Amino acid sequence: MKKSLLFACLLLSFLSPGFAQKQATWIWYPGDYEVWLGNNMQNRRTERGTFLPPFWKLDSHYNLIDFHKDFDIPEAEEVELTVEGRYNVKIDGKAFPGFPTKITVPAGKHRVSLKVFCQDRVPAIFVKGKNVVSDNSWLVTFEDKEWIDETGKASDQSGTTWLKAGSWNFNTAQTPPSAFRLNTTEQAAVKTERKPGSILLDFGKETFGFIKLNGLTGKGKVMIYYGESREEALATETCETTDELHLAMTQKRDSVMELTKAFRYVSIQFDGSVSIDNVSMLYEYLPVADRGSFRCSDEQINKIYDVAAYTLHLNTREFFIDGIKRDRWVWSGDASQSYLMNYYLLFDSPTVTRTMLAMRGKDPVTSHINTIMDYSSYWFISIYDYYLYSGDKAFVQQFYPRMQSLMDYMLARRNKNGLLEGLAGDWVFIDWAEGLSKKGEVSFEQLLFARSLETMAVCANIVNDVPNATKYAKLAADVKQTLFSAYWNEQKQALVHSRINGVPTENVTRYANMFAIFFNYLDEAKKQAVKKHVLLNPDVPRITTPYMRFYELEALCALGEQTYVTKEMKAYWGGMLDLGATSFWEEYNPTKKGAEHYAMYGREFGKSLCHAWGASPIYLLGKYYLGVKPLTPAYDTYLIEPQLGGLAWIDGKVPTPDGDVSVYCSAKDIRVTGAAAGTGTLRFASKAKPICKQGAIRTTSDGKFELTIEKGKSYVVSYKL
Amino acid sequence: MKKSLLFACLLLSFLSPGFAQKQATWIWYPGDYEVWLGNNMQNRRTERGTFLPPFWKLDSHYNLIDFHKDFDIPEAEEVELTVEGRYNVKIDGKAFPGFPTKITVPAGKHRVSLKVFCQDRVPAIFVKGKNVVSDNSWLVTFEDKEWIDETGKASDQSGTTWLKAGSWNFNTAQTPPSAFRLNTTEQAAVKTERKPGSILLDFGKETFGFIKLNGLTGKGKVMIYYGESREEALATETCETTDELHLAMTQKRDSVMELTKAFRYVSIQFDGSVSIDNVSMLYEYLPVADRGSFRCSDEQINKIYDVAAYTLHLNTREFFIDGIKRDRWVWSGDASQSYLMNYYLLFDSPTVTRTMLAMRGKDPVTSHINTIMDYSSYWFISIYDYYLYSGDKAFVQQFYPRMQSLMDYMLARRNKNGLLEGLAGDWVFIDWAEGLSKKGEVSFEQLLFARSLETMAVCANIVNDVPNATKYAKLAADVKQTLFSAYWNEQKQALVHSRINGVPTENVTRYANMFAIFFNYLDEAKKQAVKKHVLLNPDVPRITTPYMRFYELEALCALGEQTYVTKEMKAYWGGMLDLGATSFWEEYNPTKKGAEHYAMYGREFGKSLCHAWGASPIYLLGKYYLGVKPLTPAYDTYLIEPQLGGLAWIDGKVPTPDGDVSVYCSAKDIRVTGAAAGTGTLRFASKAKPICKQGAIRTTSDGKFELTIEKGKSYVVSYKL
């Protein structure tokens, strides 16, 4: 089905120029819908019935927008207009009276323009004629600097900046952006325990949606206690989320709760004459299909992959959120991992860009992203990744000014050494880890900052901002150099954690060291030193969050330690599965027991049991086992370097912007099919001379083998591991 | 009645600390309601039925706000909460579940805080207990940079900026800010001409409000054509504003139009079976009373004063707008004159600050105020004036950062000579005048810029920003010096209009020269030279807008030319009255005939016949005839220097923050009563030794006489003009 869909899309794109009715879609000022939707979504969190909004600044869309496009059409056509907001419409600058829903555009060259004011929703238009249709080739501005003189003549020195319109997939007049809701589907509990005045439901696994009380009637109070664990649902005083209803009903009716919740278990208590026939839920989800896949010889790893995929799906909603129970917000550090997993499972770019734009918001920048210093850097690094995986230059071109203003904010917060050090209002996060020092100049922050500056250099080049490309590259090089001169400890063979009052500490942590490996900031000798003295050194404090385990295991994979990583994955993620996890957690400490696992932030059930950052095996297995990764933007060239990591065989797919790459690998066979575009390079080691009938195998200078993978072609290689 | 009201207010303020129930009022983030209300108001303009919004950027309120205040109360009290938006409420950081409308605050010291999200309206709260009430002593922020660590402990290095809450006069739970509407009162036409299918109404004078069709019924179309002149109302194809109704009514009903319009005449045409019993209007107005007054021996001047006062009232609405037909927007140049007139008629500070804040909007600054270079300067200069007249330091303290960011924008747009020169997107307006050059470095713009920098220096001192006070003062001095070195032409004895490519032109205009006089930038010799060679020189292009006549006549008054000004006033404003004006116009050129007067911008009825800037006689008569002006902020000290300007007697009142100053002056008597606070100095010339029983008259070094006016005291001086 996926193939036929793809084919239909290709067919459509071949046919569309001139042959068919053009596709109209709702458009708006780019980034504004994302900000608006982010506000709506992030303000739906409650904690024990109390509204719990984010603690950082929320921005607003521009409320007054000019839209226009120049058309040249062969004959006059009737055009339908649907608009969110109060508006006017003009052809060649001449306005129609009132708020027309239909206009005729005459034949020839004409400029169609609309101006829309809307405060509560995002000003948006849907224009549908034969040729005159709204799409993201329209130009938009929030500030058309055009004035007239006393004779009515327009000025000739406009300072207006026009951007391309933003859009998503709202392709009918009846589906305006403000009406968007995620899909829902009704699901039943797998187990129901009824007692007088109470019902306890088990939905079989972690889930998300609206509880629905079917056949509800009577007079009295209904309390709903949600639990990601059975313990939580039963802990009526301390469970994190609740609903409270006060009924005075005489007829039976089905009642759907107003807000979505995360739960597996639900405990319902009611009094008075209340009766409930039965309870179901409306599962809420973003309809996005898996494109990547992974299977291997180890059933536990397969289970880990499936639960990771489900965890990511649950957290892939209007945006990539951190966790479905908590915080249900858009956090940059969390999202940047979701993006990477997404490239190996869904390859859904709109959710990536929606999330990045919602997080970035508008100018002026008054704090770090989510107030966290490292999270500003992750925002930049995510753009680096997004461009590499998707090749989406248009995104960079439209939003480069917002990248610049955030970078200006960071640059303005450097200390006298040109390094980042927490000022008032800067949250230095790094990781949830007991006793982790955030004081002084933390090496990890400088390392992320260097990568952010490298991203800016890449993006400056994309928009042909040559002077700033040079400036950012120089700044990046300076920070990198300081990183090694200030933090590398020869004795410890590692980057130390921080420098306080100009003096490097003796403290070695994993953070900067592991990132330096997959950022490729270390030479080979240093990489091996870090592996030995940090990554595989039990004396360096261990990491307990899946968040930082993501990067720790990525670093080990990048060092070719897949076999070690397989064991770690089975122990850590397998450990959660052994405890009955149906989605992966915010934090996992194997030394804890029973319900201790559910506590965090000083609260009995404070921990989120479905946190996106727990889903990293998707990424690790796709990138470092199937071994597929882009070498140049949009997989124009890419590498396939399968690694069994101790498994007998692995088999899966990795999505690209244009088709999937299929990889099967065992100790003696490698089977690969190239994506529909781009050129791959299969690289592998073999103890015997490998054979391939479909292509010529080359030998590399380091004694490995390479095979060019042409687009869409399949290859079978016989070799010996 | 006014006195007793004032007394009641004073009584209340004496009683309030501890004696009575505290006054609760709706509060919000300061400046946000003004921005929101400005969006609403400025997007109500239509032109021939077409929505016509502003062409500059509109900002939005912050949608997520933290409010808090620390209380220390003797006993527990019940507190009612009314909120615009989704909210939570906490005492000492502990949240109540849900959205409580009543809470109990325990005795003792407690922090009450609310957090509110609202996108379509401004987040606002109304808190009403005995002591726990919302008022502008609460602290607010849009960004509470508070986070917790993994144990739930709050950070100890918040970077949050707290401001005092904003408020107006919404003092009951039932009058939330979003529900605010101006007052209305029904009024009848003074003349009605009926024909089959048409009605022509004359409301007797320029007015503003909603047309009301009483006893409307039938099926058909109704067209309403509005005219500030009879000609306009009858010009169905070219009148500026219209309404269109399509009826299918079976019962009679009164129908009020949706949007307000400006008009004196209304022509209504209808077809089909439509019938209308009669037509009235709902006059819409801001309920604000006159405090200033002026009467004199010349009935034409009295009429001018009354029509000017009516013109200002019509344009004093949610904000000080430019004109009621057009543009119905908030323009900085126009508003800055309304503020000055306001200080002599209404002394309504809330309308001043609402207007300044709506215009300034939010950061980032992406253009000049209203896109006009001079209008950014007027915004600063208005703050200078506002502080001088009102003494409102709190305003400066709250909004100094927004002053700084606008000034940063201006400073960043200086050319290599440190002067302002129009860049792409900068509208150099100056005045509506045919052929007026806007090219190069215009002297007028530098002069306003210097004054803006002086304002910044004053305000920097108010907020104790000493380094910047020094910086701004230095910059102002530099620009002033350049002004004279670059533009003063010895031969012409005047500032020339501009410098193009570094070369001063020979062109002399009135603008910079007249402002330089009342800014006191000229020495006495230059003042006299400018008077002779520019102001009284018919070869220098004359001014045809009341806008710049305001400043031209102010300059002449400042030079003591009241007698000349009286003649000019009678000729110019009297000229409009002679043409039947019932409010003063946007532009008046005595050489035009009949309906030519109504044309502008290439449109037959493009001119606004009720423009605030036409009302300047209020200001001139108050400040330069009654001669009352503050010498130090808030009239702490003030001058009274009456000038008859050729009139036999003048008599009037000038409002101050604390009571009015009364002045009567003839050729032999001066009678003065001081304001309720502050110390005045009466200054006058006399050919005979003046006598006053109530105080000791001093002689000044320049041969004039002075008398100290104590607060609230009355003085009678006999003298000889």
Side-chain angles (χ1 to χ4, degrees):
Chain A
M1 196 200 83
K2 263 177 270 164
K3 257 189 195 154
S4 65
L5 242 177
L6 178 68
F7 180 70
C9 288
L10 287 172
L11 201 70
L12 211 78
S13 74
F14 283 129
L15 288 177
S16 62
F19 294 97
Q21 166 99 11
K22 292 209 170 56
Q23 171 76 62
T25 193
W26 281 91
I27 58 173
W28 51 79
Y29 190 87
D32 268 7
Y33 181 63
E34 293 79 354
V35 166
W36 179 88
L37 187 66
N39 292 346
N40 271 14
M41 197 276 288
Q42 297 188 93
N43 282 296
R44 268 188 239 130
R45 175 180 176 191
T46 57
E47 197 178 276
R48 293 199 65 81
T50 299
F51 168 51
L52 188 48
F55 61 84
W56 49 80
K57 180 185 70 160
L58 296 183
D59 292 299
S60 288
H61 56 278
Y62 295 115
N63 50 37
L64 182 61
I65 297 294
D66 279 279
F67 300 82
H68 80 257
K69 188 179 174 183
D70 294 328
F71 291 93
D72 188 354
I73 54 176
E75 51 186 8
E77 61 183 67
E78 195 167 75
V79 175
E80 290 174 28
L81 308 170
T82 319
V83 178
E84 297 223 279
R86 196 179 304 167
Y87 67 102
N88 64 38
V89 54
K90 295 175 185 172
I91 295 181
D92 302 329
K94 190 164 163 35
F96 290 80
F99 305 96
T101 54
K102 228 171 243 184
I103 59 170
T104 299
V105 179
K109 288 189 180 181
H110 298 287
R111 172 167 296 190
V112 180
S113 47
L114 288 93
K115 185 152 190 164
V116 185
F117 170 72
C118 200
Q119 184 73 58
D120 58 337
R121 295 156 296 155
V122 173
I125 63 169
F126 184 82
V127 177
K128 192 177 165 64
K130 190 177 165 196
N131 295 287
V132 178
V133 298
S134 50
D135 58 29
N136 57 16
S137 66
W138 282 55
L139 297 178
V140 294
T141 186
F142 59 87
E143 181 173 56
D144 186 6
K145 294 181 178 177
E146 269 306 342
W147 57 86
I148 56 169
D149 68 12
E150 75 285 2
T151 68
K153 188 180 140 316
S155 77
D156 52 4
Q157 55 143 2
S158 166
T160 303
T161 303
W162 295 95
L163 289 186
K164 296 262 176 82
S167 68
W168 188 8
N169 58 2
F170 305 125
N171 299 340
T172 71
Q174 294 73 40
T175 54
S178 71
F180 170 70
R181 298 290 179 278
L182 293 174
N183 291 18
T184 55
T185 179
E186 190 156 357
Q187 295 187 348
V190 299
K191 197 174 162 195
T192 304
E193 297 172 45
R194 272 192 173 263
K195 288 183 193 163
S198 81
I199 309 174
L200 177 66
L201 302 126
D202 175 4
F203 285 89
K205 60 181 178 181
E206 176 83 13
T207 190
F208 187 85
F210 304 91
I211 279 292
K212 185 164 170 245
L213 305 178
N214 300 299
L216 179 68
T217 192
K219 196 170 166 180
K221 180 174 163 186
V222 180
M223 283 300 308
I224 307 181
Y225 305 98
Y226 296 89
E228 291 190 305
S229 60
R230 186 181 162 98
E231 289 88 337
E232 185 181 9
L234 292 173
T236 57
E237 294 300 314
T238 52
C239 69
E240 293 273 313
T241 56
T242 57
D243 268 318
E244 180 172 341
L245 303 176
H246 295 268
L247 303 188
M249 296 170 76
T250 51
Q251 292 205 309
K252 277 196 180 181
R253 230 182 36 227
D254 298 346
S255 178
V256 177
M257 296 304 101
E258 190 194 337
L259 295 175
T260 47
K261 298 284 192 313
F263 54 89
R264 171 174 170 176
Y265 298 90
V266 176
S267 155
I268 302 176
Q269 302 195 355
F270 45 96
D271 60 16
S273 63
V274 171
S275 80
I276 303 167
D277 286 350
N278 64 72
V279 180
S280 62
M281 71 166 295
L282 302 181
Y283 175 68
E284 192 199 51
Y285 65 100
L286 179 77
V288 55
D290 288 351
R291 288 182 55 201
S293 64
F294 184 84
R295 274 294 167 272
C296 68
S297 52
D298 184 307
E299 274 312 310
Q300 190 184 33
I301 295 282
N302 292 340
K303 183 81 197 293
I304 288 170
Y305 183 88
D306 290 345
V307 172
Y310 183 59
T311 301
L312 184 63
H313 270 285
L314 283 170
N315 287 291
T316 302
R317 318 194 61 78
E318 293 90 343
F319 306 95
F320 288 116
I321 59 171
D322 60 334
I324 57 173
K325 176 170 83 174
R326 228 216 57 245
D327 296 320
R328 304 174 56 153
W329 294 339
V330 180
W331 289 95
S332 180
D334 308 56
S336 67
Q337 298 192 352
S338 291
Y339 306 149
L340 291 172
M341 302 175 209
N342 166 65
Y343 301 134
Y344 287 91
L345 186 68
L346 314 167
F347 215 103
D348 185 53
S349 292
T351 307
V352 176
T353 53
R354 280 201 310 280
T355 307
M356 289 198 290
L357 291 171
M359 240 165 355
R360 174 59 188 81
K362 303 302 248 318
D363 286 338
V365 179
T366 58
S367 82
H368 283 295
I369 302 266
N370 309 121
T371 74
I372 301 180
M373 185 191 282
D374 9 336
Y375 280 28
S376 289
S377 285
Y378 286 124
W379 188 81
F380 287 107
I381 297 168
S382 296
I383 290 175
Y384 188 98
D385 294 334
Y386 176 61
Y387 177 59
L388 181 62
Y389 279 90
S390 72
D392 184 356
K393 277 190 186 179
F395 177 84
V396 174
Q397 282 155 349
Q398 297 259 95
F399 297 105
Y400 179 68
R402 284 191 213 181
M403 298 172 64
Q404 280 191 294
S405 48
L406 179 58
M407 183 47 79
D408 286 346
Y409 180 81
M410 293 186 80
L411 290 171
R413 293 179 89 72
R414 287 173 297 171
N415 68 12
K416 63 180 195 308
N417 303 319
L419 300 183
L420 293 181
E421 188 173 354
L423 299 175
D426 295 347
W427 184 1
V428 178
F429 176 64
I430 313 171
D431 192 14
W432 290 131
E434 235 179 280
L436 183 62
S437 168
K438 317 289 176 80
K439 296 234 178 314
E441 301 159 316
V442 176
S443 57
F444 178 66
E445 299 292 341
Q446 319 315 322
L447 182 121
L448 295 186
F449 184 39
R451 191 62 154 192
S452 302
L453 286 162
E454 288 174 348
T455 303
M456 284 307 293
V458 168
C459 294
N461 277 319
I462 290 172
V463 302
N464 295 317
D465 179 2
V466 179
N468 277 316
T470 309
K471 181 185 95 175
Y472 292 127
K474 168 81 168 63
L475 285 166
D478 291 350
V479 174
K480 261 171 86 171
Q481 205 206 308
T482 309
L483 193 65
F484 287 96
S485 63
Y487 300 100
W488 184 260
N489 184 315
E490 271 302 328
Q491 200 190 335
K492 292 181 183 285
Q493 287 290 296
L495 294 165
V496 297
H497 182 71
S498 58
R499 204 165 65 160
I500 295 173
N501 300 324
V503 182
T505 61
E506 295 281 301
N507 183 17
V508 173
T509 57
R510 292 170 191 262
Y511 308 105
N513 289 292
M514 65 202 192
F515 275 68
I517 286 169
F518 56 80
F519 281 179
N520 215 16
Y521 281 6
L522 302 176
D523 60 28
E524 198 49 38
K526 282 201 170 73
K527 273 185 189 169
Q528 294 306 323
V530 162
K531 180 163 125 184
K532 182 176 166 195
H533 296 279
V534 184
L535 295 180
L536 303 179
N537 179 356
D539 294 338
V540 174
R542 53 198 302 237
I543 284 168
T544 59
T545 57
Y547 176 49
M548 279 291 142
R549 290 236 87 182
F550 182 108
Y551 298 114
E552 184 184 30
L553 298 184
E554 169 155 31
L556 287 161
C557 286
L559 292 166
E561 293 292 329
Q562 272 79 348
T563 304
Y564 177 88
V565 170
T566 303
K567 280 180 208 146
E568 288 289 307
M569 216 185 274
K570 286 171 70 72
Y572 190 80
W573 280 268
M576 285 189 259
L577 291 182
D578 290 346
L579 290 168
T582 58
S583 56
F584 290 124
W585 302 350
E586 181 177 16
E587 189 199 40
Y588 169 55
N589 185 339
T591 64
K592 292 193 173 161
K593 299 269 174 252
E596 281 174 18
H597 284 293
Y598 309 141
M600 205 170 170
Y601 309 106
R603 304 200 304 264
E604 199 176 351
F605 300 101
K607 189 178 294 171
S608 156
L609 298 190
C610 178
H611 231 62
W613 70 28
S616 58
I618 299 166
Y619 173 64
L620 299 171
L621 293 169
K623 185 171 178 185
Y624 294 103
Y625 286 68
L626 298 178
V628 179
K629 61 179 180 188
L631 294 173
T632 50
Y635 280 87
D636 191 40
T637 62
Y638 59 94
L639 189 66
I640 310 163
E641 200 169 9
Q643 295 285 344
L644 283 171
L647 300 164
W649 56 267
I650 57 175
D651 185 10
K653 280 186 184 164
V654 172
T656 80
D658 205 349
D660 305 329
V661 180
S662 301
V663 180
Y664 169 88
C665 181
S666 69
K668 56 195 182 74
D669 289 317
I670 304 175
R671 294 198 292 271
V672 170
T673 302
T679 305
T681 300
L682 173 68
R683 170 182 287 185
F684 57 98
S686 179
K687 286 176 185 156
K689 187 178 156 58
I691 299 164
C692 177
K693 289 184 186 168
Q694 296 82 20
I697 293 174
R698 305 180 295 278
T699 312
T700 66
S701 57
D702 60 349
K704 289 192 173 171
F705 297 94
E706 282 189 0
L707 174 66
T708 297
I709 307 297
E710 306 281 354
K711 59 184 180 188
K713 278 201 183 169
S714 296
Y715 301 81
V716 179
V717 175
S718 301
Y719 82 119
K720 190 175 175 192
L721 187 63
Chain B
M1 196 201 81
K2 262 175 275 167
K3 257 186 195 154
S4 63
L5 243 176
L6 177 69
F7 178 71
C9 289
L10 287 173
L11 200 69
L12 211 76
S13 74
F14 283 130
L15 289 177
S16 61
F19 293 99
Q21 165 100 11
K22 292 211 170 55
Q23 171 74 64
T25 194
W26 281 90
I27 58 172
W28 51 79
Y29 189 88
D32 268 6
Y33 182 63
E34 293 79 353
V35 166
W36 179 88
L37 187 65
N39 292 346
N40 270 14
M41 197 277 288
Q42 297 189 92
N43 282 297
R44 268 189 238 131
R45 176 181 176 190
T46 58
E47 195 179 278
R48 293 199 65 80
T50 301
F51 168 52
L52 188 49
F55 61 85
W56 50 79
K57 180 185 70 161
L58 296 184
D59 292 299
S60 289
H61 56 277
Y62 296 113
N63 51 38
L64 182 62
I65 297 293
D66 279 279
F67 300 81
H68 79 257
K69 187 178 174 181
D70 295 326
F71 291 92
D72 188 354
I73 54 176
E75 51 186 6
E77 61 183 67
E78 193 169 76
V79 175
E80 289 174 28
L81 308 170
T82 319
V83 178
E84 298 223 279
R86 196 180 304 168
Y87 67 101
N88 64 38
V89 55
K90 295 176 185 172
I91 294 181
D92 303 327
K94 187 161 165 39
F96 290 80
F99 305 97
T101 54
K102 229 171 240 182
I103 60 171
T104 299
V105 179
K109 288 188 182 183
H110 298 288
R111 171 166 296 189
V112 180
S113 47
L114 288 93
K115 184 152 192 166
V116 186
F117 171 72
C118 199
Q119 184 72 59
D120 59 337
R121 296 156 296 153
V122 173
I125 63 169
F126 184 82
V127 177
K128 192 176 165 66
K130 190 177 167 196
N131 296 286
V132 178
V133 298
S134 49
D135 58 29
N136 56 18
S137 67
W138 282 55
L139 297 178
V140 294
T141 186
F142 59 87
E143 183 174 54
D144 187 5
K145 294 181 179 177
E146 268 306 343
W147 57 87
I148 55 168
D149 68 13
E150 75 286 0
T151 68
K153 185 180 142 318
S155 78
D156 51 3
Q157 55 143 359
S158 166
T160 304
T161 304
W162 296 95
L163 289 186
K164 296 260 176 84
S167 67
W168 187 8
N169 58 3
F170 305 125
N171 299 341
T172 71
Q174 294 74 38
T175 55
S178 71
F180 170 70
R181 299 291 179 277
L182 293 173
N183 289 20
T184 55
T185 176
E186 191 157 359
Q187 295 188 347
V190 298
K191 198 175 160 193
T192 303
E193 298 172 45
R194 271 193 175 264
K195 286 182 194 165
S198 82
I199 310 174
L200 178 66
L201 302 128
D202 176 5
F203 284 89
K205 60 181 179 182
E206 177 83 13
T207 190
F208 187 86
F210 304 90
I211 280 293
K212 184 164 171 243
L213 305 178
N214 300 300
L216 178 68
T217 191
K219 194 171 169 180
K221 179 175 163 184
V222 180
M223 284 299 308
I224 307 180
Y225 304 99
Y226 296 89
E228 292 190 304
S229 60
R230 185 180 163 97
E231 289 88 337
E232 185 181 8
L234 292 172
T236 56
E237 294 300 313
T238 51
C239 70
E240 294 271 314
T241 55
T242 58
D243 268 318
E244 182 173 339
L245 303 176
H246 295 268
L247 303 187
M249 296 171 74
T250 49
Q251 292 205 308
K252 277 196 180 183
R253 231 182 34 228
D254 298 346
S255 176
V256 177
M257 296 305 99
E258 190 195 337
L259 295 174
T260 47
K261 298 283 190 315
F263 54 89
R264 171 175 169 176
Y265 298 90
V266 175
S267 157
I268 301 176
Q269 302 195 354
F270 45 95
D271 60 18
S273 63
V274 171
S275 80
I276 303 167
D277 287 350
N278 64 73
V279 181
S280 63
M281 72 167 293
L282 302 182
Y283 175 68
E284 194 199 53
Y285 65 100
L286 179 77
V288 53
D290 289 350
R291 287 181 55 201
S293 64
F294 184 84
R295 274 297 167 271
C296 69
S297 53
D298 184 310
E299 273 312 312
Q300 191 185 32
I301 294 283
N302 292 341
K303 184 79 196 295
I304 288 169
Y305 183 88
D306 290 345
V307 172
Y310 183 57
T311 301
L312 184 64
H313 270 285
L314 282 171
N315 287 292
T316 302
R317 317 195 60 79
E318 291 91 344
F319 305 96
F320 289 116
I321 58 171
D322 61 333
I324 56 173
K325 176 169 83 174
R326 228 216 58 246
D327 296 323
R328 303 173 58 154
W329 293 339
V330 180
W331 289 95
S332 180
D334 307 57
S336 66
Q337 298 192 351
S338 291
Y339 305 149
L340 291 172
M341 302 175 209
N342 165 65
Y343 301 134
Y344 287 91
L345 186 69
L346 314 167
F347 216 103
D348 186 52
S349 292
T351 307
V352 175
T353 53
R354 279 201 310 280
T355 307
M356 290 198 288
L357 291 171
M359 240 164 357
R360 175 58 188 82
K362 303 302 246 321
D363 285 339
V365 178
T366 58
S367 82
H368 284 296
I369 303 264
N370 309 121
T371 74
I372 302 179
M373 185 191 282
D374 7 337
Y375 280 29
S376 289
S377 286
Y378 286 124
W379 189 81
F380 287 107
I381 297 168
S382 297
I383 291 174
Y384 188 99
D385 294 336
Y386 176 61
Y387 177 59
L388 181 62
Y389 279 89
S390 73
D392 184 354
K393 277 191 187 179
F395 178 84
V396 174
Q397 281 155 348
Q398 298 257 93
F399 297 104
Y400 179 69
R402 286 191 212 182
M403 299 174 64
Q404 280 191 297
S405 49
L406 179 58
M407 183 48 80
D408 285 345
Y409 180 81
M410 294 187 79
L411 291 171
R413 292 179 89 73
R414 287 173 297 171
N415 68 13
K416 63 182 195 306
N417 303 320
L419 300 183
L420 293 181
E421 189 174 354
L423 299 175
D426 294 349
W427 184 1
V428 178
F429 176 64
I430 312 172
D431 193 14
W432 289 130
E434 235 179 281
L436 183 62
S437 169
K438 318 288 177 81
K439 298 237 178 313
E441 300 160 317
V442 177
S443 56
F444 178 66
E445 298 293 340
Q446 318 315 323
L447 181 123
L448 295 187
F449 184 40
R451 191 62 153 193
S452 302
L453 286 162
E454 288 174 350
T455 303
M456 284 307 294
V458 168
C459 294
N461 277 319
I462 291 171
V463 301
N464 296 318
D465 179 4
V466 179
N468 278 314
T470 309
K471 181 186 94 173
Y472 293 127
K474 168 81 167 64
L475 285 166
D478 291 350
V479 174
K480 261 169 87 170
Q481 204 206 311
T482 309
L483 193 66
F484 288 97
S485 62
Y487 300 99
W488 184 260
N489 183 316
E490 272 302 327
Q491 201 190 336
K492 292 179 183 286
Q493 288 290 297
L495 294 165
V496 296
H497 182 70
S498 57
R499 203 166 66 159
I500 295 174
N501 301 323
V503 183
T505 61
E506 295 282 300
N507 183 18
V508 173
T509 57
R510 291 170 192 262
Y511 308 105
N513 289 292
M514 65 203 194
F515 274 70
I517 287 169
F518 55 79
F519 280 179
N520 215 16
Y521 280 7
L522 302 176
D523 60 29
E524 197 50 35
K526 281 202 171 71
K527 273 185 188 169
Q528 293 306 322
V530 161
K531 178 163 127 185
K532 182 175 165 195
H533 295 280
V534 184
L535 295 180
L536 302 178
N537 180 355
D539 295 337
V540 174
R542 54 198 301 238
I543 283 168
T544 61
T545 56
Y547 177 49
M548 279 293 141
R549 291 236 86 183
F550 181 109
Y551 297 114
E552 185 184 28
L553 298 185
E554 168 153 34
L556 287 161
C557 285
L559 292 165
E561 292 293 327
Q562 272 79 349
T563 304
Y564 176 89
V565 170
T566 303
K567 283 181 203 144
E568 287 289 307
M569 216 186 274
K570 287 172 68 73
Y572 190 81
W573 279 268
M576 285 188 259
L577 291 182
D578 291 346
L579 290 168
T582 57
S583 57
F584 290 124
W585 303 351
E586 181 177 16
E587 189 200 40
Y588 169 53
N589 185 340
T591 66
K592 292 192 174 163
K593 299 271 174 252
E596 282 175 17
H597 284 293
Y598 308 142
M600 205 168 168
Y601 309 105
R603 303 201 305 262
E604 199 176 351
F605 301 101
K607 190 178 293 172
S608 156
L609 298 190
C610 178
H611 231 64
W613 70 27
S616 57
I618 299 165
Y619 173 64
L620 298 171
L621 294 168
K623 184 171 179 186
Y624 294 104
Y625 286 68
L626 298 178
V628 179
K629 60 179 181 188
L631 295 174
T632 49
Y635 280 85
D636 192 40
T637 63
Y638 59 95
L639 190 66
I640 310 163
E641 199 169 10
Q643 295 286 343
L644 284 170
L647 300 164
W649 56 267
I650 58 175
D651 186 10
K653 280 186 183 161
V654 171
T656 80
D658 204 349
D660 306 327
V661 181
S662 302
V663 180
Y664 168 89
C665 180
S666 69
K668 57 196 182 73
D669 289 318
I670 304 175
R671 295 199 291 269
V672 171
T673 303
T679 306
T681 300
L682 173 68
R683 169 183 289 186
F684 58 98
S686 178
K687 287 174 185 157
K689 186 178 156 60
I691 300 163
C692 176
K693 289 185 184 165
Q694 296 80 20
I697 294 173
R698 306 180 293 278
T699 312
T700 66
S701 58
D702 61 349
K704 289 190 173 174
F705 298 95
E706 282 187 1
L707 173 66
T708 296
I709 307 297
E710 305 282 354
K711 60 183 179 187
K713 279 202 182 169
S714 298
Y715 302 81
V716 179
V717 175
S718 302
Y719 81 120
K720 191 176 174 191
L721 187 61

